[in-house]
Amino acid sequence: MSASSKKGGSRSVHFFGIRHHGVGSARSLRRALEQLQPDAVLIEGPPDADKLIALASHADMRPPVALLIYNPTQPREAAWYPFAVYSPEWQAIQYALGNKIPVTFMDLPQKHQLPLLYAPPAEAEAPPEDTDADADAGEDAGENALLEAEPADMPPPVDSAALLRLDPLQALAQAAGYSDSERWWEHMIEERQSGETIFEAIQEAMTALRDATGAHPDPGYAHREALREAWMRKTIRATEKKATRLAVICGAWHVPALLDRTNVAADDALLKGLPSVATTATWTPWTYSRLSRDSGYGAGITSPGWYQHLWDTAPDQITMRWMSRVAGLLRGQDFSASTAQVIDGVRLAEALAALRGRPLPGLDEMNEAALAVFCRGDSAPLNLIRRDLIIGDALGEVPPDAPTVPLQRDLELQQKALRLKPALDEKIHDFDLRKPNDLARSRLLHRLRLLQIEWGVRQQNQVQATGTFHEFWKLAWKPEFAIAVIEASMWGNTIQDAAAARVRDQAETSDSLLPITALLEDVLLADLPEAAEIVLNRLESVAALTSDVAVLMDSLPALVDVLRYGNVRKTDTALVAQVVDGLVMRVCVGLAPACASLDDDAAALMYNRLNQTHSAITLLQNADYTAHWQGALAEVADLRAGHGLVVGRAVRLLRDAGILSPEEVARRLRLALSRAVEPAQAAAWVEGFLKGSGAVLLYDDTLFTTLDSWLALLPGDTFDLLLPLLRRTFSTFASPERRQIGERARHGVRQRSDQLLLDEARTAKVLPMLERLLGI
Amino acid sequence: MSNQPNTVQRRHAEEEYAEELYELAKADTRQRPPNWALSPWAVATYLLGGTLDNGYTITAKYIGDRRLIEIAIATLATDRALLLLGVPGTAKSWVSEHLTAAICGDSTLLVQGTAGTSEEAMRYGWNYARLLAEGPSENALVASPLMRAMAEGKICRVEELTRIPADVQDTLITVLSEKTLPIPELNSEVQSVKGFNVIATANDRDRGVNDMSSALTRRFNTVVLPTPATLDEEVEIVRQRVGSLGRMLELPAETPALEEMRRVVTIFRELRHGLTLDGQTRLKSPSSTLSTAEAISVVTQGLSLAAHFGSGTLTARDVAGSVVGAVVKDPTQDRTIWLEYLETVARTRPDWTDLYEACREVTR
């Protein structure tokens, strides 16, 4: 039945080697415990949280939840132990609490582990973020593996002993002909429906494996593991004296090391003089998507929703219920998914499993069957299945009397350090960003905003003169923020980490350009350089896929502002420059096609975008960009069927930049106003060309004459039609300009040259002063 | 009618690989579905290659994802029709021919789909001379490959299913669900024998040609055959094919530099997948398919340009024209995408300057 080591008389210790979050393990464990009827239970977990175990049976406790152990003075130093309902540890706790059996944790306490992990030299250790990233990469690879060949991903056989130690199960899996250890474990152990002798088999396999593998290549890790196993042996020794039937639940890998507990002296020597810090423990709500990424055991799982299904469903209905759920999900998204297809899907999955010699279809077979039967080979719906079913969106709950979360503590620490007390009544604060303390306060408020804790509301600068060094905030603390903090705590243990993690999540789930640009501005204000990098990368890839040039143009000015002015916060702008580079190129390439067929409303919008983009690019003062932009404008100016407003504007911008000669501009105006062109389009051209400033008409006779004669030759009714349009154009000029143009129109062009009689002597008097003013 | 085997241009799969099929059948002890010549496991080995217990080596007919072939075989084993989808040049017909050869030893029951495929070609027609002389009878009936497959319990292949007019396609709906083909003229029917199935192939870029009705779609399990998985695999395919084509056309130019070919394949792969090879930059994909077959023709064309008008060695200038021609199928959209690719990707690669400039020159 269970792996046991007897020790004198009737006292016995029973070992249950499990896989964290393994459904099959949980099921076999529960059965085995009920059969054994132990009178004490030890679980591989942090003894720091022993007092909290009892809360697990609280009526308001709903997994997925996590035990969080952290250093209250440095909330960043933390470890968390997530539990799903199908975690064997969770089932063991529930069994023990339900039967009123003493249950305690036996792992090396985090008060010793945390200083080992975070004490200098800390660089040697992998920070939690790294495991995060690794898990993500693994997840992506998993997605691709479904559709692409795997052999390319196989690691080269470098040092087989070291490799074996890094992933010992891999060796067993490969021996059994599986490409990855997770799948192998799943098929051999988790998906096995009857498993009476399973724990003995696991113990034997692990013993053989441990004999075959060398030391872990990371000495720090190897040392920690030795300490952990010594501590577990010590705890078992202490507990077995008091119990007749002791059940020990731990990761399968550890079982062989815990069997022989005779060398007390060696363990004591190893555990002597361990560093120690104070720790606080609490329960926090968890989610399946977090469970799929990382966990305190370092054994994240990729498919929590699928495991939940395995746990909830009767063994003989797993395949059909899963296929029905897939069909239900797809139907809800307007894909066709009939009952007949569910039947076909089940049959295909079972045939695939049979072909591969597996007792039951696994997730691979389910996905492949769904792909062939429901999705017509299109993998897009599969992503939906992955998000909603395989990972799932379960969110846990913890009872309100669980202790405070570290995020709350971090917030309190920062409020104290920055002398920014939460007060219920509204008060306006003026932060001078040149002062470090005020800058830090502003940073904190911006980060809280990213976590949706709207303690401060940013106010418009009240006095323009104070410039960009000042920020005004209206602060008012509301009691419900306490809940918002708990909700935000799933993102991280410090305000900075949590804000960064949430930004990352938002950036990754958003796929349109403008929200990401807005997010980038917020992130830069909140001074989260790592998050900014992620947002920028995301921005870059989204920009590459955006075929709507208008959206690209809209997001450019904000980025250019960041790049050109940096900001008071001394952000690193090299990354922004890279993104801007891509944006400018894409805008320039796509501009002319985007301007090709516009109606009046779209043309008006594009007109504004042309102006904005033009000033943004001018601001950048990069010769390469300017050249490309002018090239793109020239293409717009040459569009034969382009809307007059846009084409006229392009000509004007090119004229102002000195690219088009006055003669060329005049020629284009004549073309635009020629009789073949519809008068409304011609008027639009004029509007685009002249809007904002009419001075050009005063200095260029040809332009004036062309426009004048066009107007004069317009038929009466057309003139009436165009009058409002022209009036709108001219009303944008400054009033002296309008007056002068009016005078020229009244007198005709020749009069002006008559009037231009200069008094040489009087003019000469002004010149020296002008020279001084202009610094010539 | 029948040719001597050694004079035909191309032999059927079951003839070409008769020895392998024989050896497999000999070694195959696993359970076979009714009327199958081999077990599903042996069919998989036949397609993917492997070594038998007696040391006999089976060559790989399909190089790519093992799982796809397994899905295809499992589909046929569960009596469902199989639809192989993919862009041109992804070995759809090849896989379908070999599957058929391995499962029923006869890959000749074939309907070649075109816009002119008639209902007679799918169901049955009449020998009119006999019909007039004898009236409707079994002898006057001309069975279609589909009908013969039903009667003999074999697999019928339908090539280019989506090119067949929609009303003719629909013939398959009841055949696949009822497994029977009525012949009202004779007041009889053909009931399919166990082992009957259909493998259809269709080009998924052309879905719009004669889109399959959802009723028909539902009767097929779909397997999408992808383009080659890695750059090296694809370069190798291009290299082999260009080599043999060059010999056939008797091109005097040297075998092309591997480097130039790599760049062409790189461009095709990057645009096809919408992602640079280093995975750093996202790209838009043009409307063109950019299949391996097109890469082959670009290189061959460049080779002939180099031979007749150039230096005799393949350079960037020789391939630029046909690369642009292959990528830019839609003059506005594709051109934008192509320019974007040139400006954001090609321009930034230091050793691509010649190719970038050559392409810019012909793109104007």
Side-chain angles (χ1 to χ4, degrees):
Chain A
M1 194 210 64
S2 66
S4 59
S5 68
K6 303 237 185 258
K7 197 191 174 225
S10 60
R11 292 180 191 278
S12 60
V13 183
H14 301 260
F15 287 92
F16 299 97
I18 49 111
R19 176 158 167 268
H20 307 295
H21 311 304
V23 181
S25 291
R27 207 177 262 137
S28 320
L29 178 64
R30 185 82 197 214
R31 243 192 329 253
L33 286 178
E34 267 153 23
Q35 207 176 344
L36 175 68
Q37 304 279 343
D39 56 0
V41 175
L42 277 179
I43 296 174
E44 179 193 342
D48 318 59
D50 274 346
K51 288 205 182 74
L52 289 171
I53 295 180
L55 269 178
S57 62
H58 194 286
D60 289 343
M61 184 71 100
R62 256 205 3 228
V65 288
L67 262 180
L68 193 59
I69 322 289
Y70 63 99
N71 176 350
T73 51
Q74 291 288 330
R76 257 197 117 127
E77 299 180 3
W80 52 91
Y81 293 76
F83 297 94
V85 67
Y86 48 77
S87 302
E89 295 92 334
W90 183 260
Q91 285 303 322
I93 292 175
Q94 294 299 337
Y95 170 81
L97 292 176
N99 291 289
K100 310 237 177 323
I101 300 166
V103 48
T104 42
F105 288 131
M106 62 165 181
D107 202 350
L108 180 63
Q110 285 294 339
K111 68 175 176 183
H112 300 312
Q113 285 205 48
L114 287 179
L116 285 172
L117 212 74
Y118 289 96
E123 311 89 60
E125 302 296 341
E129 285 86 0
D130 279 3
T131 55
D132 218 328
D134 289 348
D136 270 4
E139 220 175 292
D140 291 345
E143 262 167 41
N144 295 340
L146 205 61
L147 302 163
E148 287 176 10
E150 279 145 293
D153 301 328
M154 296 285 268
V158 266
D159 175 0
S160 58
L163 215 64
L164 200 60
R165 180 58 197 92
L166 277 177
D167 190 357
L169 289 181
Q170 182 77 30
L172 283 182
Q174 274 179 356
Y178 282 76
S179 60
D180 89 279
S181 54
E182 186 127 340
R183 291 269 164 271
W184 172 78
W185 182 274
E186 234 155 66
H187 285 123
M188 295 315 290
I189 288 145
E190 300 298 349
E191 284 165 7
R192 185 172 290 254
Q193 295 303 322
S194 61
E196 293 310 311
T197 56
I198 197 94
F199 291 107
E200 274 167 21
I202 292 173
Q203 182 187 321
E204 260 175 52
M206 290 302 141
T207 312
L209 258 185
R210 283 184 75 120
D211 287 344
T213 52
H216 195 279
D218 175 359
Y221 184 93
H223 177 58
R224 270 204 312 284
E225 198 164 84
L227 288 176
R228 288 178 58 199
E229 286 174 352
W231 188 279
M232 288 192 231
R233 282 193 292 269
K234 192 177 144 189
T235 316
I236 296 171
R237 272 195 295 269
T239 321
E240 67 184 322
K241 286 172 197 148
K242 294 177 280 182
T244 48
R245 286 184 306 280
L246 171 63
V248 176
I249 289 119
C250 60
W253 176 252
H254 298 298
V255 174
L258 305 183
L259 287 173
D260 178 15
R261 296 178 298 280
T262 45
N263 201 342
V264 182
D267 283 353
D268 285 348
L270 199 58
L271 293 172
K272 226 167 111 182
L274 282 177
S276 176
V277 291
T279 56
T280 311
T282 183
W283 286 103
T284 62
W286 212 246
T287 66
Y288 273 176
S289 55
R290 294 279 289 169
L291 197 59
S292 72
R293 262 186 237 161
D294 47 13
S295 79
Y297 298 113
I301 49 172
T302 49
S303 42
W306 164 248
Y307 285 0
Q308 176 83 50
H309 178 78
L310 290 179
W311 178 252
D312 289 343
T313 316
D316 55 336
Q317 300 201 333
I318 287 174
T319 315
M320 43 191 125
R321 284 196 179 265
W322 180 260
M323 279 297 164
S324 306
R325 288 180 64 196
V326 168
L329 174 72
L330 292 177
R331 252 174 246 150
Q333 303 286 331
D334 280 348
F335 289 96
S336 85
S338 66
T339 314
Q341 280 169 295
V342 175
I343 298 169
D344 292 327
V346 171
R347 290 182 62 204
L348 179 56
E350 283 172 355
L352 270 174
L355 185 61
R356 291 169 185 167
R358 289 166 195 174
L360 264 186
L363 193 51
D364 280 350
E365 283 79 31
M366 296 291 189
N367 281 338
E368 284 159 6
L371 185 69
V373 174
F374 293 114
C375 318
R376 289 199 68 186
D378 176 7
S379 62
L382 218 52
N383 291 336
L384 194 75
I385 297 173
R386 183 181 167 71
R387 195 193 66 195
D388 287 6
L389 292 184
I390 300 178
I391 291 179
D393 52 2
L395 170 68
E397 269 175 36
V398 297
D401 34 347
T404 0
V405 293
L407 189 70
Q408 175 72 40
R409 188 171 291 269
D410 183 56
L411 179 60
E412 283 161 14
L413 283 178
Q414 292 203 38
Q415 284 168 338
K416 210 167 148 193
L418 300 174
R419 296 189 306 282
L420 201 62
K421 284 273 143 50
L424 292 178
D425 44 342
E426 273 182 21
K427 191 185 168 207
I428 304 269
H429 290 254
D430 170 7
F431 296 145
D432 183 342
L433 299 183
R434 286 165 298 189
K435 296 182 189 157
N437 194 46
D438 277 4
L439 181 60
R441 287 167 161 183
S442 149
R443 209 153 50 198
L444 175 65
L445 290 172
H446 278 296
R447 286 173 184 175
L448 287 176
R449 274 192 55 224
L450 285 171
L451 288 171
Q452 289 182 307
I453 303 171
E454 303 269 349
W455 179 19
V457 179
R458 181 97 182 267
Q459 307 290 299
Q460 285 294 327
N461 280 6
Q462 285 163 327
V463 194
Q464 195 59 45
T466 48
T468 54
F469 290 117
H470 285 259
E471 254 181 25
F472 292 91
W473 289 85
K474 187 167 77 184
L475 295 192
W477 185 262
K478 296 189 191 120
E480 58 262 35
F481 288 159
I483 301 162
V485 172
I486 293 177
E487 277 169 7
S489 71
M490 68 183 235
W491 296 108
N493 287 344
T494 64
I495 303 282
Q496 181 178 353
D497 291 353
R502 179 145 197 285
V503 163
R504 179 187 164 134
D505 185 72
Q506 273 186 306
E508 278 165 4
T509 48
S510 177
D511 44 14
S512 61
L513 203 51
L514 292 177
I516 300 181
T517 318
L519 190 62
L520 178 66
E521 284 178 88
D522 289 344
V523 170
L524 291 175
L525 287 170
D527 190 25
L528 299 167
E530 284 154 31
E533 198 170 316
I534 289 161
V535 177
L536 277 166
N537 285 333
R538 182 74 193 144
L539 188 66
E540 207 173 1
S541 51
V542 170
L545 287 187
T546 308
S547 46
D548 191 350
V549 176
V551 177
L552 293 174
M553 290 169 88
D554 284 344
S555 57
L556 189 61
L559 287 175
V560 169
D561 279 351
V562 173
L563 187 58
R564 183 76 181 100
Y565 298 116
N567 52 35
V568 200
R569 291 149 209 278
K570 307 174 189 82
T571 321
D572 174 27
T573 50
L575 268 168
V576 186
Q578 198 185 335
V579 175
V580 165
D581 188 82
L583 274 183
V584 170
M585 288 307 166
R586 289 195 179 92
V587 166
C588 291
V589 168
L591 184 66
C595 293
S597 47
L598 299 172
D599 64 8
D600 288 350
D601 295 337
L605 290 173
M606 184 51 83
Y607 171 88
N608 289 331
R609 292 199 180 102
L610 275 184
N611 288 336
Q612 279 172 16
T613 313
H614 183 76
S615 44
I617 289 179
T618 316
L619 206 59
L620 285 175
Q621 296 186 335
N622 176 322
D624 199 23
Y625 294 167
T626 312
H628 269 90
W629 172 243
Q630 286 167 350
L633 282 178
E635 278 181 55
V636 174
D638 288 340
L639 281 178
R640 298 194 68 183
H643 194 281
L645 191 63
V646 173
V647 176
R649 194 68 209 169
V651 171
R652 175 63 183 270
L653 291 175
L654 288 171
R655 180 201 170 276
D656 291 353
I659 302 293
L660 292 182
S661 64
E663 296 77 38
E664 178 61 17
V665 173
R667 187 183 72 85
R668 283 173 187 264
L669 178 64
R670 270 198 303 278
L671 282 180
L673 300 184
S674 53
R675 308 209 90 188
V677 179
E678 228 183 294
Q681 277 300 311
W685 201 98
V686 172
E687 185 184 0
F689 184 72
L690 290 178
K691 201 171 177 179
S693 161
V696 64
L697 285 182
L698 291 172
Y699 304 128
D700 196 323
D701 284 347
T702 341
L703 290 184
F704 187 87
T705 335
T706 316
L707 188 62
D708 194 36
S709 55
W710 172 67
L711 274 176
L713 288 174
L714 277 179
D717 48 346
T718 319
F719 183 78
D720 288 349
L721 263 177
L722 292 183
L723 196 58
L725 195 74
L726 291 169
R727 200 186 143 71
R728 196 173 70 200
T729 307
F730 280 79
S731 67
T732 59
F733 301 167
S735 66
E737 272 178 13
R738 257 187 321 211
R739 205 187 58 242
Q740 286 183 39
I741 293 173
E743 291 198 346
R744 283 190 63 182
R746 185 180 306 139
H747 300 299
V749 179
R750 265 169 292 111
Q751 259 89 347
R752 186 175 152 273
S753 43
D754 292 344
Q755 284 172 350
L756 204 71
L757 287 172
L758 289 179
D759 185 332
E760 296 275 337
R762 287 185 67 191
T763 320
K765 281 182 186 167
V766 194
L767 286 177
M769 192 50 160
L770 258 181
E771 275 167 16
R772 273 181 68 193
L773 279 173
L774 297 173
I776 302 172
Chain B
M1 268 286 274
S2 70
N3 288 304
Q4 292 297 314
N6 53 354
T7 59
V8 295
Q9 219 168 0
R10 182 177 173 281
R11 295 203 292 169
H12 293 304
E14 62 270 22
E15 293 162 4
E16 188 75 38
Y17 295 98
E19 194 187 341
E20 290 190 4
L21 287 169
Y22 171 74
E23 290 289 341
L24 263 171
K26 215 171 55 178
D28 186 16
T29 53
R30 305 195 187 207
Q31 197 197 340
R32 300 174 191 185
N35 247 336
W36 278 37
L38 296 173
S39 72
W41 168 84
V43 175
T45 313
Y46 172 72
L47 266 109
L48 297 159
T51 310
L52 298 179
D53 287 340
N54 62 9
Y56 188 83
T57 310
I58 306 289
T59 54
K61 317 295 176 302
Y62 179 77
I63 301 166
D65 193 350
R66 172 173 201 101
R67 295 180 165 275
L68 292 177
I69 298 298
E70 285 177 350
I71 299 173
I73 297 170
T75 295
L76 295 169
T78 56
D79 237 5
R80 284 266 290 173
L82 173 67
L83 174 64
L84 295 172
L85 271 182
V87 293
T90 42
K92 297 183 296 292
S93 307
W94 178 256
V95 168
S96 126
E97 183 185 351
H98 282 281
L99 275 175
T100 320
I103 292 174
C104 60
D106 180 1
S107 64
T108 59
L109 296 170
L110 169 67
V111 177
Q112 284 173 334
T114 65
T117 302
S118 65
E119 212 167 320
E120 285 80 44
M122 294 290 269
R123 299 165 72 92
Y124 51 87
W126 296 98
N127 177 338
Y128 284 97
R130 274 236 156 112
L131 186 65
L132 290 174
E134 302 171 6
S137 71
E138 291 273 354
N139 287 335
L141 197 80
V142 181
S144 71
L146 183 71
M147 192 170 178
R148 290 202 344 251
M150 290 177 76
E152 295 166 24
K154 289 184 171 173
I155 292 180
C156 174
R157 294 198 284 142
V158 181
E159 293 283 305
E160 300 290 355
L161 180 61
T162 48
R163 294 190 194 282
I164 299 175
D167 46 341
V168 181
Q169 281 180 18
D170 288 350
T171 308
L172 284 171
I173 297 181
T174 46
V175 168
L176 288 178
S177 51
E178 313 278 323
K179 310 281 185 193
T180 167
L181 185 63
I183 312 168
E185 293 89 338
L186 300 179
N187 197 16
S188 75
E189 61 175 5
V190 175
Q191 275 190 301
S192 66
V193 172
K194 277 186 181 173
F196 163 71
N197 214 330
V198 171
I199 303 180
T201 61
N203 179 336
D204 65 350
R205 282 283 170 132
D206 286 352
R207 258 181 215 180
V209 175
N210 275 314
D211 210 355
M212 291 164 65
S213 66
S214 61
L216 184 56
T217 314
R218 268 219 336 262
R219 283 165 174 80
F220 283 100
N221 283 356
T222 314
V223 170
V224 176
L225 295 180
T227 46
T230 63
L231 178 69
D232 290 331
E233 199 178 297
E234 191 164 359
V235 169
E236 179 57 22
I237 297 173
V238 174
R239 197 184 62 78
Q240 284 183 0
R241 293 286 297 146
V242 166
S244 63
L245 276 173
R247 272 197 304 281
M248 218 165 74
L249 301 172
E250 290 167 15
L251 289 175
E254 299 173 21
T255 329
L258 198 60
E259 215 23 65
E260 206 55 61
M261 221 148 52
R262 257 192 118 75
R263 293 202 291 195
V264 172
V265 174
T266 304
I267 293 175
F268 274 45
R269 287 185 71 82
E270 290 186 332
L271 284 171
R272 190 195 299 148
H273 296 301
L275 190 70
T276 51
L277 287 186
D278 56 9
Q280 295 303 306
T281 315
R282 284 231 157 253
L283 303 163
K284 296 189 193 87
S285 290
S287 62
S288 37
T289 18
L290 298 175
S291 68
T292 315
E294 276 176 284
I296 295 169
S297 87
V298 163
V299 176
T300 328
Q301 210 173 324
L303 211 57
S304 117
L305 264 180
H308 298 300
F309 304 105
S311 59
T313 347
L314 193 66
T315 63
R317 297 182 67 87
D318 299 320
V319 289
S322 35
V323 165
V324 176
V327 174
V328 182
K329 299 281 192 230
D330 174 310
T332 49
Q333 274 182 352
D334 288 348
R335 187 176 173 275
T336 312
I337 292 167
W338 171 239
L339 281 176
E340 217 177 276
Y341 178 79
L342 281 181
E343 293 302 332
T344 54
V345 179
R347 190 169 63 107
T348 56
R349 294 194 174 140
D351 47 347
W352 278 37
T353 319
D354 53 338
L355 188 63
Y356 166 74
E357 276 164 6
C359 288
R360 271 313 305 223
E361 209 172 293
V362 280
T363 312
R364 290 219 177 269

